[in-house]
Amino acid sequence: MKKVLVKSILVLCALLFLLPILLTVLHSFGVQSVDAEGLRLTGLLPSGFSLIGYYDLLIEHFYVLRNFWNSVFYAGSITCLNIVVSVPAAYAFSQARFKGKELLFFFYIMLMMMPLQVTLLPNYIGLRNMKLLDTPFAIVLPSVFAPFSVFLLTQYMKGMEQSYVEAALLETKSVFRIMLQMIVPQLRTCILAVFVFVFAEYWNMVEQADIYLKRETLKPLSGLLAVGEGLTTSEVLAGSVIFMIPIVILYLYFHDSLEVGLESMKL
């Protein structure tokens, strides 16, 4: 009875988390009810089935597809470049010996814990001085050096077997060769987990695009849906469903590596 009760509570909690997503999907295919005074009525379930929201979004407002591919470009490029930068940085924090390493890593953790709003103004001033505002670099450049993935990879490397590194040092003194041939193959699961985390984070970014970008042609789909300017309720709901699809596919494809990577991390 205790196991049945615990499972029932977990299922109920899962349904509560899934309820907003299910309602979003249902209403994206629903008909918007309007009363005699022309006011839109909202209910738990839609009053009918219709694809008008998807038609208007993809055909009448075809520019939304441009913003969708902007999101793909931003999230994909940021994630790949972030991993390229984070792997050597994590290798230095976990394997190298230099003065001030622990203090520097402490500052990394402090920076990771800061709210995004704290770093927006310094980044804005730096991008303005480099004349990068209202360009794709304004979104990509500050995010490439985000400390979150460095922290996770460092914690994972600290739990790795050090005998492999010591054996490799007998063959070569090249740091890059040891990192690429001995460390990176063992980081595959962790890198995939970090890839999912970072991609999901920057796929949903809104504040950076609103502050750093002025042209609508450069903004990601998340910023467009958050404002909803010029879009009806049906179109916003349809866009939200389309916006969720890449993340769902990414999770379903990498969920095994994600679970193994989380279990292996010494957080």
Side-chain angles (χ1 to χ4, degrees), residues 78-100:
I78 289 172
T79 303
C80 294
L81 292 175
N82 183 263
I83 291 176
V84 171
V85 171
S86 299
V87 171
Y91 178 80
F93 278 124
S94 62
Q95 303 296 331
R97 297 179 181 178
F98 56 90
K99 292 183 179 180

Side-chain angles (χ1 to χ4, degrees), residues 29-264:
F29 292 102
V31 178
Q32 297 295 321
S33 302
V34 180
D35 63 5
E37 298 180 358
L39 300 175
R40 294 190 179 275
L41 303 177
T42 58
L44 185 61
L45 297 176
S47 58
F49 179 82
S50 175
L51 294 175
I52 188 64
Y54 290 91
Y55 175 83
D56 291 340
L57 185 73
L58 299 177
I59 304 301
E60 298 296 333
H61 301 290
F62 58 90
Y63 61 86
V64 172
L65 293 176
R66 174 199 62 204
N67 297 96
F68 174 83
W69 289 112
N70 286 345
S71 295
V72 174
F73 169 75
Y74 290 139
S77 58
I78 289 172
T79 303
C80 294
L81 292 175
N82 183 263
I83 291 176
V84 171
V85 171
S86 299
V87 171
Y91 178 80
F93 278 124
S94 62
Q95 303 296 331
R97 297 179 181 178
F98 56 90
K99 292 183 179 180
K101 183 178 72 170
E102 298 299 331
L103 180 62
L104 182 60
F105 189 66
F106 174 76
F107 283 127
Y108 253 79
I109 297 175
M110 291 295 296
L111 182 61
M112 182 183 67
M113 296 176 64
M114 287 184 180
L116 173 65
Q117 292 75 11
V118 175
T119 60
L120 286 177
L121 181 58
N123 286 338
Y124 181 89
I125 295 174
L127 293 170
R128 182 195 61 189
N129 294 338
M130 292 187 292
K131 302 185 184 302
L132 294 177
L133 289 176
D134 203 26
T135 66
F137 292 103
I139 299 295
V140 176
L141 190 59
S143 305
V144 167
F145 303 97
F148 175 73
S149 53
V150 176
F151 171 74
L152 290 183
L153 289 169
T154 300
Q155 296 301 103
Y156 186 89
M157 287 187 190
K158 288 181 178 179
M160 291 172 51
E161 181 61 44
Q162 298 299 315
S163 60
Y164 295 104
V165 179
E166 295 173 359
L169 288 173
L170 299 176
E171 298 292 334
T172 178
K173 296 297 183 181
S174 174
V175 174
F176 288 100
R177 184 179 176 185
I178 295 174
M179 183 180 66
L180 293 177
Q181 296 183 0
M182 299 299 300
I183 302 298
V184 172
Q186 300 182 65
L187 288 177
R188 179 181 177 275
T189 302
C190 184
I191 289 176
L192 291 177
V194 170
F195 182 92
V196 175
F197 281 131
V198 176
F199 187 92
E201 178 182 359
Y202 290 102
W203 180 259
N204 296 306
M205 64 179 173
V206 176
E207 293 89 349
Q208 299 96 315
D210 288 339
I211 294 177
Y212 302 151
L213 301 177
K214 295 181 179 179
R215 287 179 288 177
E216 295 294 331
T217 56
L218 295 178
K219 291 187 176 182
L221 183 58
S222 54
L224 182 67
L225 294 176
V227 177
E229 184 176 356
L231 301 177
T232 64
T233 303
S234 299
E235 293 167 354
V236 172
L237 291 171
S240 299
V241 174
I242 295 174
F243 188 72
M244 288 188 290
I245 292 176
I247 295 298
V248 174
I249 294 176
L250 193 65
Y251 172 76
L252 293 177
Y253 189 78
F254 290 117
H255 75 278
D256 292 334
S257 298
L258 184 60
E259 293 178 1
V260 175
L262 289 175
E263 292 175 358
S264 303

